[in-house]
Amino acid sequence: MTSTTSTANKMTVPGLARMKAEQQPITMLTAYDASFARLVDASGVDCVLVGDSLGNVIQGLDNTLGVSVDHMVYHVAAVRRGLNRALLVADLPFLAYHDRASALASSGRLVQAGAEMVKLEGGAALAPQVTALVEQGIPVCAHLGLTPQHVHQLGGYRVQGREASVAERLKADAHALEDAGAGLLVLECVPAELAREVAAALRIPVIGIGAGAQVDGQVLVVYDVLGISPPPRPRFVKDFMADHGDIGTALAAYVEAVRTGAFPGAEHTYR
Ligand code: KIV
């Protein structure tokens, strides 16, 4: 029998949609283990992302391409044990969703480890995978702009969408993914005006990272927020530890800064 009791204020996918409708900024941070998950959850953040950025920050790799579904499952299960309120979003790693069957198999493992939504990188070509997942009850977060799994194709970690043709393609991809059933969109490293247009045009919430302030929420890698990541740091990163004496206060300051609109500032934004 399904339990009808739930944690008060537990964040859900419909809850995120309501936040967009009510113009409440959505906060998201990454976590990769139970201890950080507990700290991040206690900060009041709405979503925790087990990102394949764990390839960089946990495994010390140059990119995310070496991360496997097994790695993701291990970290999702650990984060699950540390969470209480936040929605757990998990990245599908490189080549784990190249067709509907692989997307369903990989996502099934992530959900059984505790994920409540899966994230995938890429545009309209992924619409069949998105629809297949949503039809099986697995919510999907899309990811456009700078998609680190395409680093070789993009020629590095660069701002995306400054050229009109790329901006138009990104907008078309965003609509196609929403129409396919995506419930959330992450936009990484795109000019603020383009991100604003996409967030205004879509019904689903748009979470930015290096996408300016006029989107529906923000995400950062937790180690960037705590000043742990080695330089050079991207423009969109802010070290909240610099002005706060402990991890809990720094994480709460990030959440508060996103909610009040104090972060990101112009200095964190691309034109
Ligand atoms: O892998 C990750 O942590 C991400 C965020 C940076 C959005 O995709």
Side-chain angles (χ1 to χ4, degrees), residues 167-168 171 175 191-202 214-215:
E168 287 310 312
K171 288 188 221 173
H175 281 290
E193 176 54 22
L194 173 59
R196 187 197 65 73
E197 279 180 45
V198 173
L202 293 193
Q214 289 178 284
V215 287

Side-chain angles (χ1 to χ4, degrees), residues 28 30 32 49-54 56 64 91 119 121 143 148 186 188 209 219-221 236:
M28 182 187 275
T30 68
Y32 314 97
L49 171 67
V50 183
D52 62 354
S53 53
L54 69 85
N56 305 93
T64 59
D91 263 337
K119 177 162 84 59
E121 298 181 11
H143 183 158
V186 166
E188 180 165 354
I209 172 164
V219 56
L220 282 180
V221 168
F236 58 77

Side-chain angles (χ1 to χ4, degrees), residues 62-85:
D62 287 339
N63 55 51
T64 59
L65 306 182
V67 178
S68 68
V69 176
D70 284 347
H71 296 150
M72 293 303 304
V73 166
Y74 176 87
H75 288 280
V76 167
V79 167
R80 176 76 276 158
R81 292 178 204 118
L83 288 190
N84 190 22
R85 173 186 177 270

Side-chain angles (χ1 to χ4, degrees), residues 55 89 110 165 176 227 264:
V89 185
L110 296 179
S165 61

Side-chain angles (χ1 to χ4, degrees), residues 150 199 216 227-228 250 257:
H150 300 102
D216 305 307
I228 295 171

